Amino acid sequence: METAFEIHVRTVTGLEETLAKELSALGALEITPKGRLVTCRGNLALVYNANLWCRTAIRVLVPLSSFPAREEKALYEGIKA
């Protein structure tokens, strides 16, 4: 398996557990249901398969970066970096 990276999959309220089961069946790792979101780890093939086969997913997102931003200036500095 390629290097696994973090994946966020959006869904509607109440379908988090169902989506987690769908992602598990596709081979996702470290699955964590949250409010209207399921986070997991996987490779690019999982991203494609989740887009194609997950019936309860709204969006499949791959975070590019993350940083703390408690104020507007920190947000813009983080984006520039």
Side-chain angles (χ1 to χ4, degrees):
M1 179 178 193
E2 307 173 16
T3 303
F5 49 85
E6 188 173 5
I7 301 169
H8 294 185
V9 187
R10 303 287 302 162
T11 189
V12 295
T13 304
L15 291 179
E16 297 90 353
E17 292 296 329
T18 303
L19 178 56
K21 289 177 185 174
E22 289 180 343
L23 290 169
S24 178
L26 293 174
L29 307 169
E30 301 175 26
I31 302 167
T32 308
K34 299 179 179 180
R36 298 183 349 187
L37 172 76
V38 176
T39 61
C40 63
R41 294 188 63 77
N43 59 13
L44 193 56
L46 176 65
V47 173
Y48 292 140
N49 283 321
N51 270 300
L52 184 61
W53 298 111
C54 287
R55 295 173 291 165
T56 57
I58 294 174
R59 285 195 170 87
V60 180
L61 306 166
V62 177
L64 300 176
S65 179
S66 65
F67 53 88
R70 296 189 181 268
E71 57 187 35
E72 183 178 359
K73 184 177 179 180
L75 173 64
Y76 289 114
E77 290 298 322
I79 292 171
K80 280 199 287 187

